[in-house]
Amino acid sequence: MKLLLYLVLLKTALLTLTDVFAVVLEDEEDATEGKVTETCPIKLKTNRKCEEGEDCPYQINLPPMTMQLPKEFRLLEKTLKEVQTLKEAVNKLKKCCQDGKLQADDNQERDSSNEFLLPNADTPAENSKIQDNRVKELQSKVNRMATSLKNAKNQIQTLQGRLEKMSLINMNNVEHYVDSKVANLTFVVNSLDNKCSSKCPAMQPSPVIQIMQRDCADYYTAGRRSNGIYRISPDPRNGSFEVYCDMQTHGGGWTVLQRRQDGSTNFNRTWNDYKNGFGNLSREFWLGNDKIHLLTKSQEMQLRIELEDFNGIREYAKYEHFYVANEYLKYRLSVHGYSGTAGDALHYSKRYNHDQKFFTTPDKDNDRYPSGNCGAYYSSGWWFDACLSANLNGKYYHNKYKGVRNGIFWGTWHGMSDGIPSGYRQAFKSVKIMIRPKSFVQ
Ligand SMILES: *[C@@H]1O[C@H](CO)[C@@H](O)[C@H](O)[C@H]1NC(C)=O
Ligand SMILES: *[C@@H]1O[C@H](CO)[C@@H](O)[C@H](O)[C@H]1NC(C)=O
Ligand SMILES: *[C@@H]1O[C@H](CO)[C@@H](O)[C@H](O)[C@H]1NC(C)=O
Ligand SMILES: CC(=O)N[C@H]1CO[C@H](CO)[C@@H](O)[C@@H]1O
Ligand SMILES: [Ca+2]
């Protein structure tokens, strides 16, 4: 619970672009930095002997954090200050926690061995009253932070929209940078948290806020090993949704974006369907372009495509970099860094190249084919060029077929013409498109 509260504080401080909190004690902060010991970050001050039973001063050290943001982001430079504020807040909480623990220990001792002492100002009843107030204070603080977080969220979204519109800077990079800083800081706080007793009275009633896993890799890291449907939240500001996780293929931790296996789901769909996703997560589906955008925005992702034809030939294509922009940018695809066995059909040639192409659906033509809509012609949504050297959202054929090449297609498939009579086209038995953070370690 404490940990969760800290995370709220962390996120809040970083996202808060308004002057909600007073600037805190920078000198004092500096003075405590750089003296961290490896073993236990919570240390008694050493310059003074501490008598038993006396109120001892405690000091908490956090490892130094330095954040650098590009000059252009004057607004975000404030996050620097906020992290300082945040550290101060964590220090205070930690101190309060430690005090509470001392008092609790104190009380226990009194209860067991000194039953006949006259009650004084430190009786458990008054003690818990004090802690009650402390909790209330904390709760109202959290509430205030939540409110300002809401404001900041709106501001950031407006700002991000504007920046992306102007194509000036990639807000995603900055967000990612800040997020990774938060991740580091969170790690520090977490390790501090372990040192703090679980019976910390001031902290127990902290608000219940779920920390969601960002993707399947997080679940894998947390020890989950079975394929199936999991709920994830790549960006806590944008809620959560369910995905299918492949925890077994090639090291596991894969969030599956698309699956074809039996033709049970129609992929001849509208822009809106592709935006929100469709199909059945345990069978055939398209996860949805908004979700794919969120996933690839939250972390640097690698892409893995698995294909199998009806001759039982299985190949894969892996890309070190995969990003899908937002709806405003028509879900533009960025993909590069190929390796694998299936061939790099996404960059087939200069003429046929799906990298940096917009998403097109039968009802929304964003392709590079001037005299028609590739999505309508090939009955699917895809990052069409003019038109295609690959299309994994084509119609599911159960056998070779004739006519328009509107089936599932991968232009570099090596058995392309083997055993296929002329005039017929290759069909694919199964497709899986999945992603995993670049930083994933098995
Ligand atoms: C997080 O901390 C580790 C070491 O503690 C450091 O190597 C890494 O660069 C840090 N990441 C960021 C984004 O600061
Ligand atoms: C795809 O959907 C459109 C519109 O519903 C329809 O006209 C077209 O025939 C469909 N294509 C195929 C191959 O089913
Ligand atoms: C999805 O498919 C599974 C397995 O076939 C089935 O049990 C489930 O009811 C389906 N879900 C929906 C929403 O159709
Ligand atoms: C997947 C998802 O829920 N995406 C939403 C994130 O937030 C933006 C803006 O509020 C929505 O437009 C997306 O649909
Ligand atoms: Ca067109």
Side-chain angles (χ1 to χ4, degrees):
M1 286 304 116
K2 282 165 283 163
L3 201 159
L4 302 180
L5 175 63
Y6 291 159
L7 197 75
V8 172
L9 296 176
L10 288 163
K11 274 288 184 190
T12 306
L14 279 166
L15 291 172
T16 303
L17 301 173
T18 49
D19 260 319
V20 177
F21 314 110
V23 183
V24 208
L25 303 167
E26 292 201 30
D27 291 346
E28 206 173 294
E29 189 64 29
D30 286 346
T32 62
E33 279 184 356
K35 285 187 254 167
V36 191
T37 51
E38 302 297 327
T39 46
C40 182
I42 302 165
K43 276 275 165 198
L44 260 180
K45 262 186 184 161
T46 46
N47 57 355
R48 196 160 84 85
K49 267 255 166 98
C50 192
E51 305 290 331
E52 245 192 294
E54 198 186 343
D55 250 0
C56 302
Y58 274 77
Q59 163 179 317
I60 291 90
N61 292 323
L62 286 173
M65 285 282 300
T66 315
M67 295 186 57
Q68 278 168 0
L69 291 172
K71 276 256 161 60
E72 306 93 282
F73 293 90
R74 301 221 134 212
L75 207 54
L76 283 172
E77 278 179 31
K78 279 201 147 183
T79 53
L80 276 169
K81 216 173 249 170
E82 299 300 344
V83 169
Q84 290 296 329
T85 311
L86 166 69
K87 285 167 72 177
E88 185 62 26
V90 170
N91 280 349
K92 272 185 186 154
L93 284 169
K94 193 48 71 179
K95 193 160 180 186
C96 147
C97 177
Q98 193 68 13
D99 286 347
K101 181 174 172 271
L102 281 182
Q103 282 171 4
D105 290 349
D106 249 3
N107 291 340
Q108 240 175 20
E109 203 166 289
R110 248 173 233 154
D111 286 344
S112 55
S113 59
N114 291 329
E115 288 162 311
F116 303 115
L117 274 183
L118 285 174
N120 59 24
D122 279 331
T123 56
E126 295 199 20
N127 217 11
S128 75
K129 216 181 197 173
I130 292 168
Q131 274 150 18
D132 255 16
N133 288 339
R134 226 182 240 160
V135 169
K136 272 183 196 141
E137 244 171 64
L138 279 171
Q139 276 173 339
S140 82
K141 200 168 179 182
V142 167
N143 284 344
R144 261 180 295 147
M145 285 174 159
T147 310
S148 63
L149 172 63
K150 250 187 221 158
N151 293 340
K153 177 182 149 182
N154 291 338
Q155 285 182 22
I156 281 188
Q157 273 171 357
T158 316
L159 181 66
Q160 181 176 351
R162 252 190 246 141
L163 288 174
E164 285 201 352
K165 220 177 241 182
M166 295 187 293
S167 293
L168 272 181
I169 340 120
N170 190 350
M171 210 42 202
N172 299 328
N173 290 341
V174 177
E175 280 196 26
H176 180 250
Y177 184 82
V178 171
D179 280 351
S180 71
K181 284 293 186 188
V182 172
N184 257 14
L185 193 52
T186 308
F187 178 78
V188 173
V189 172
N190 285 355
S191 50
L192 269 177
D193 194 60
N194 290 336
K195 321 263 185 200
C196 188
S197 159
S198 58
K199 53 181 175 183
C200 179
M203 303 301 289
Q204 263 156 16
S206 47
V208 180
I209 296 150
Q210 279 292 332
I211 298 177
M212 292 290 302
Q213 315 283 12
R214 289 166 302 174
D215 60 5
C216 297
D218 277 356
Y219 275 108
Y220 187 95
T221 305
R224 307 294 290 269
R225 294 291 184 274
S226 46
N227 294 344
I229 296 174
Y230 294 78
R231 182 161 281 274
I232 61 164
S233 176
D235 182 344
R237 294 167 293 168
N238 216 293
S240 68
F241 52 85
E242 288 185 330
V243 293
Y244 187 87
C245 294
D246 184 333
M247 301 303 207
Q248 279 148 21
T249 304
H250 207 76
W254 297 100
T255 304
V256 181
L257 306 183
Q258 188 254 39
R259 186 100 178 88
R260 312 294 298 274
Q261 56 190 22
D262 53 17
S264 59
T265 295
N266 175 20
F267 275 65
N268 183 14
R269 303 271 191 147
T270 62
W271 180 265
N272 229 33
D273 283 350
Y274 273 98
K275 170 187 164 76
N276 298 312
F278 56 80
N280 181 328
L281 283 179
S282 20
R283 303 178 69 180
E284 293 198 325
F285 64 91
W286 180 256
L287 181 61
N289 290 339
D290 278 342
K291 294 172 190 139
I292 296 172
H293 166 67
L294 280 183
L295 277 161
T296 58
K297 181 176 105 162
S298 70
Q299 297 176 82
E300 283 275 328
M301 291 289 185
Q302 54 180 250
L303 173 72
R304 188 178 171 96
I305 293 167
E306 308 222 313
L307 290 160
E308 182 181 357
D309 67 16
F310 283 100
N311 299 322
I313 297 175
R314 304 170 73 139
E315 309 284 7
Y316 74 95
K318 196 178 150 199
Y319 292 88
E320 270 314 299
H321 172 87
F322 174 69
Y323 174 74
V324 172
N326 63 16
E327 185 175 21
Y328 186 83
L329 294 172
K330 301 169 191 162
Y331 303 118
R332 190 186 57 218
L333 171 69
S334 301
V335 62
H336 51 78
Y338 168 83
S339 61
T341 58
D344 186 4
L346 292 180
H347 312 88
Y348 186 79
S349 65
K350 242 190 182 142
R351 264 191 75 194
Y352 294 110
N353 183 355
H354 292 281
D355 186 29
Q356 299 304 318
K357 298 307 177 295
F358 299 123
F359 203 83
T360 287
T361 54
D363 61 334
K364 203 156 211 168
D365 185 347
N366 298 314
D367 62 39
R368 298 206 320 125
Y369 182 64
S371 49
N373 178 333
C374 300
Y377 192 71
Y378 292 103
S379 311
S380 73
W382 191 248
W383 296 278
F384 286 107
D385 190 4
C387 281
L388 59 88
S389 51
N391 174 18
L392 300 179
N393 289 342
K395 190 170 151 77
Y396 189 97
Y397 285 99
H398 294 265
N399 208 335
K400 58 188 186 299
Y401 63 100
K402 271 185 159 173
V404 179
R405 178 176 269 133
N406 61 358
I408 297 168
F409 180 57
W410 192 256
T412 51
W413 197 251
H414 59 215
M416 195 54 82
S417 50
D418 299 354
I420 307 273
S422 70
Y424 281 92
R425 306 195 184 279
Q426 169 103 43
F428 284 88
K429 185 181 172 200
S430 76
V431 179
K432 192 156 52 175
I433 306 178
M434 51 200 193
I435 57 172
R436 189 167 73 180
K438 258 180 162 170
S439 57
F440 181 79
V441 278
Q442 291 163 38

